Each structure stands twice: as structure tokens, then as C-alpha cells.
Amino acid sequence: DHSTVLKNITRDTLYIHDLKFILPGLTLFPDNYLITMQKANEFSITPWKTTWFTRKILEKFNLCIFMSATVNRTILSRETGIDEDDFEFINQPSEIPEKNREIKFLNSYKFKDEVDQNGKFKSFAIIDKIKEIFDKHSGQRGLILCTTYKQMDEIKRVMEERYPADFKRLTFDVKDRKVKDTISENNEKPNGVIISAKAGTGIDLKDDLSRFQIIIKAPYMSELRDENNKRAMKIKKFDSERFFMKSLFRLVQFAGRSVRGITDYAETYVLDAAGPNMVKYGSHVPVWFFNACDFDAKL
């Protein structure tokens, strides 16, 4: 059957293309790969460093510039595999005044004590604190940042039951929905509040689109506690700081969702008492971020 032969040729050509793509990494860095997700007749090959891939990209250019407010020399080196001696890092202070972007650590609860083994809320501490913040910002739009969809579901369940009027302010950024559609819906409400588990990056709520934001849980990376993640286990063995640093910069990213320019302003509330430790005892905290933190804030 001629059509079957053509299909087989196309399939095998794609296989060859994939193998050619992987081969330089396997050849230059043979110890860089783990076999994961092993099944009866298939498995996944996962790199634990991206050094070869970074080289493959950068060799095409004479000059490369990485621009980000949430990275430093060390984490850039560890994430890309570029030696710190091979690039120049230019550290710029933030031009946004500290008073416009203050991060208030309210230390309202220890999140780990507020949920059971199934992720259900054991008390109303989280919801009641959200209610207090809603009352303070009754006429403004805002943002609630979760780290899992389970947290979103729990806030939805308890808010609807306990504070139905405030529940109507919420706009849920569900998993398969485009963020721009969520923002459009929220903008139809004069005091709408987006609640999202995927807004840590890539969301731009400037000016009156958000004047306050609530971080429910200290956003530690899941790799720190997932013992089944082989790649993460190997990284932690050779680079114990890496996921703690990534967690810190995840917090920095969270805090920047509602303050997008020099004249913009918003209040950021971190509710989890584990939050201050990410900053006080973390490595490589940006000075411009640290100076905006109030570690014993009052609402």
C-alpha cells in the first residue's frame, strides 16, 4: 500500500529529526540525562541541565541580551549552564518608588496548618483575612494569587458559603481559559478581583486594573517536596540551593503583577507566615525588592 509506505517514511523521518536534535546533548553531556516515566514499551529522556541547548541557541549570535527584573547572576548561570565568567551582569535598581510597591507580610497563619491532607481548609482563617482585605479595598479591583487550583476551589467553596456578597466580586481564572478573557470579564465589575493559580507570570494588571493583590501561600517550588521527581532529586543532590532561589524569584514575580510602571501603585499582602523566611534567609534577594518589604505589617 503506497500510502502506508509514505506514512512510515514520514514517521521515521520525524524520529530521525528528533534523534539528531537530542544527539549533541547525549554526546557532549552523557551524564546529563535521566530516564523518567518508564512504561512497558516507552520512556522519557529528561536533561537535568540545559547547557548544551543553551549553547545551541547562543552560537547563532554574536551578542545576546537577557532582560528580566526577576533574575540574578547566580540563578541565570545555574538555569542556563552559562559560566558566570562568560557573561556580564548589569544590576539596575527599580525605578518604581518603594512606597508604590510595598510588600506587606501579615503573618496571618501558617498555611501548612490550615489545610488537611486533601487540601481542604480546616478553619476560616484564610477566608476571614481575605474578607478583611476586601473591606479595606471595597471600591477597587484586585488579584488573589494561589499556587494550586485546589486552593482556588477551596476559596470558591468557603467564600460562596460564608461571604456571598464578596464572592460576587471574584472572577475565576480557570485552567483552560485565556488570561485576557479573565481580565475582560473582571473589568466589567467596578471592584472585581481575579483569583488565579497561573498568574505568577504573564499577567499585566496596570493602574486601576488592580490596586491590591493577595498572596495566599509562600510560593515554594513543588520540586522541594516531590520525592518522585527524579530530575528534581538529582538537581537537589548537586545544587541544594537551586529550588529555594527559584522559589524566592517566584515570590518576586508574584509581587510584580499589579505594579507595572513608575507611576503605578498597589498594595501586596502576603498572608502565609512562611513568607518572610523566603526573603530574610534566602540567598541572592534583590536589594530593590528587600527594601520594599514590611515583615511585620498591619492591615
Side-chain angles (χ1 to χ4, degrees):
D1 185 338
H2 189 242
S3 64
T4 301
V5 172
L6 288 176
K7 285 180 182 177
N8 289 341
I9 290 173
T10 301
R11 182 198 62 199
D12 292 342
T13 301
L14 290 173
Y15 285 159
I16 291 169
H17 181 270
D18 288 345
L19 289 171
K20 282 183 176 179
F21 182 79
I22 292 171
L23 189 60
L26 291 172
T27 305
L28 294 172
F29 306 98
D31 297 327
N32 189 40
Y33 287 83
L34 301 171
I35 294 176
T36 59
M37 296 176 64
Q38 210 163 347
K39 297 180 182 178
N41 62 345
E42 63 181 64
F43 58 88
S44 295
I45 301 175
T46 307
W48 69 288
K49 286 187 177 181
T50 62
T51 307
W52 76 270
F53 185 65
T54 306
R55 287 185 180 181
K56 196 175 183 69
I57 295 172
L58 299 187
E59 68 186 8
K60 300 178 183 295
F61 308 100
N62 294 323
L63 175 67
C64 294
I65 301 174
F66 296 83
M67 298 178 66
S68 175
T70 52
V71 76
N72 67 6
R73 176 185 289 275
T74 303
I75 200 167
L76 179 64
S77 176
R78 293 182 184 183
E79 286 295 300
T80 63
I82 307 172
D83 192 277
E84 289 192 38
D85 295 331
D86 290 343
F87 64 88
E88 182 66 29
F89 187 81
I90 301 171
N91 194 3
Q92 291 288 102
S94 174
E95 295 183 355
I96 303 172
E98 290 169 15
K99 62 182 177 61
N100 288 14
R101 52 183 175 85
E102 190 173 22
I103 300 103
K104 297 182 176 182
F105 292 85
L106 298 182
N107 304 306
S108 304
Y109 50 74
K110 290 184 178 179
F111 185 85
K112 65 179 182 179
D113 296 335
E114 292 299 318
V115 294
D116 63 21
Q117 60 183 2
N118 297 314
K120 293 277 189 180
F121 289 173
K122 295 192 291 185
S123 77
F124 297 127
I126 294 172
I127 301 302
D128 288 348
K129 186 55 65 173
I130 291 173
K131 166 63 174 171
E132 287 184 51
I133 296 171
F134 272 26
D135 288 345
K136 180 180 177 181
H137 297 274
S138 59
Q140 296 175 315
R141 295 188 185 93
L143 171 67
I144 297 176
L145 289 149
C146 302
T147 57
T148 67
Y149 286 100
K150 184 66 176 176
Q151 293 163 25
M152 275 182 58
D153 293 340
E154 279 296 281
I155 291 171
K156 179 180 181 179
R157 178 181 68 84
V158 183
M159 281 288 285
E160 188 171 19
E161 174 187 312
R162 193 168 174 82
Y163 301 115
D166 291 286
F167 172 78
K168 293 178 181 178
R169 293 180 64 178
L170 294 174
T171 302
F172 292 89
D173 187 27
V174 295
K175 187 176 293 186
D176 296 325
R177 189 185 198 186
K178 293 180 180 179
V179 175
K180 66 177 183 179
D181 294 333
T182 303
I183 294 173
S184 294
E185 179 187 338
N186 197 62
N187 289 348
E188 295 175 2
K189 307 172 187 178
N191 61 351
V193 179
I194 294 172
I195 179 168
S196 177
K198 62 175 189 281
T201 58
I203 187 169
D204 187 3
L205 296 176
K206 58 187 175 182
D207 301 326
D208 289 336
L209 296 184
S210 178
R211 289 303 185 194
F212 71 97
Q213 50 190 17
I214 304 170
I215 298 173
I216 297 295
K217 180 184 179 297
Y220 284 101
M221 302 294 292
S222 61
E223 287 87 348
L224 287 168
R225 60 181 183 276
D226 186 356
E227 296 182 357
N228 296 317
N229 188 326
K230 294 181 180 180
R231 180 176 182 271
M233 294 295 286
K234 184 164 184 177
I235 289 173
K236 285 189 286 186
K237 181 178 178 181
F238 293 96
D239 188 358
S240 59
E241 272 193 312
R242 185 167 170 184
F243 291 118
F244 285 104
M245 281 198 299
K246 290 187 73 173
S247 299
L248 165 65
F249 281 94
R250 193 180 183 198
L251 176 62
V252 175
Q253 288 172 331
F254 274 30
R257 296 307 92 207
S258 299
V259 186
R260 310 301 294 170
I262 297 173
T263 60
D264 201 0
Y265 63 91
E267 292 189 79
T268 297
Y269 302 100
V270 182
L271 305 189
D272 188 0
N277 290 339
M278 299 182 76
V279 182
K280 286 182 178 179
Y281 308 110
S283 301
H284 314 290
V285 182
V287 174
W288 59 265
F289 180 80
F290 186 89
N291 289 344
C293 294
D294 183 349
F295 295 107
D296 192 23
K298 305 299 181 187
L299 185 57

